[in-house]
């Protein structure tokens, strides 16, 4: 556990704990407000994120930003990170050994940010944070409380690009988060 953001980031830049280190251009550490009350957790960097070193800057990210803005939330108010910090080849789902190797970094980020609410974006985030027994289809849209943190599982924004019907549910889930947070 690093007490200090710079040391944590530096250790990830040098990380070779899993095979995803081989193809990365940049690590995607995380971004936003380091004292945020709300944290968003995605899966892992895509091509755009790998190039820029910033989470959710590609198509899915832009859609998410738009939804947040529509709810009066600036993404800079939140802290945003991923399960894995290096891009999986052709955007495949991170393998279990990769997610497990990387998870300590995310835990460290959560300990430093101390969020009240964590939004789990998609199945990979849900299963790695709360447990394999959860299914995103069944769990999305419902609050889960664990160790003084309220979790809201919802669709991964990339899923909205494939299925229009998920947009309204994603929107409603984020609205639920905003209402709890800003009440
Ligand atoms: N998808 C993710 O899960 N994370 C990102 O940072 C970008 C796309
Ligand atoms: Fe290290 Fe995580 Fe990158 Fe794997 S994905 S090399 S564990 S930083």
């Amino acid at each position: 556990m690093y007490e200090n953001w710079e040391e944590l980031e530096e250790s990830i830049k040098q990380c070779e704990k899993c095979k995803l280190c081989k193809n990365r251009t940049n690590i995607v550490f995380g971004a936003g407000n380091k004292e945020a009350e709300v944290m968003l957790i995605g899966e892992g960097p895509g091509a755009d994120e790998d190039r820029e070193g910033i989470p959710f800057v590609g198509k899915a990210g832009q859609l998410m930003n738009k939804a947040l803005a529509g709810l009066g939330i600036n993404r800079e108010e939140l802290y945003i990170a991923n399960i894995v910090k290096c891009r999986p080849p052709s955007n495949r789902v991170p393998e279990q050994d990769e997610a497990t190797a990387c998870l300590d970094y995310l835990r460290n980020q959560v300990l430093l940010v101390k969020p009240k609410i964590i939004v789990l974006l998609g199945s990979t985030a849900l299963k790695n944070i709360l447990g394999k027994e959860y299914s995103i289809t069944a769990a999305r849209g419902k609050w889960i409380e664990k160790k003084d943190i309220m979790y809201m599982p919802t669709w991964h924004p990339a899923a909205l690009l494939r299925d229009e019907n998920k947009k309204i549910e994603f929107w409603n889930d984020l609205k639920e988060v905003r209402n709890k947070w800003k009440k």
Side-chain angles (χ1 to χ4, degrees), residues 12 15 17-18 20-21 24 84-86 101-102 105:
I12 301 176
C15 181
K17 284 203 288 182
C18 86
L20 295 181
C21 69
R24 73 179 171 225
V84 293
K85 310 310 192 204
C86 307
C102 212
Y105 297 129

Side-chain angles (χ1 to χ4, degrees), residues 42-44 49 55-56 82 156:
E43 178 174 288
E49 291 79 18
F56 287 103
N82 283 306
H156 189 287

Side-chain angles (χ1 to χ4, degrees), residues 28 41-50 54-61 64 75 80-84 91 94 121-122 124-125 156-158:
V28 176
I41 299 180
E43 178 174 288
D48 298 304
E49 291 79 18
D50 175 67
I54 304 167
F56 287 103
V57 290
K59 243 182 154 182
M64 182 178 82
R75 76 173 243 167
I80 307 177
N82 283 306
I83 297 291
V84 293
N91 300 341
L121 299 166
T124 300
H156 189 287

Side-chain angles (χ1 to χ4, degrees), residues 162-174:
R162 298 188 292 265
D163 179 359
E164 278 281 319
N165 297 320
K166 293 191 163 109
K167 281 187 178 170
I168 184 78
E169 292 174 335
F170 181 73
W171 172 270
N172 286 338
D173 297 346
L174 291 183

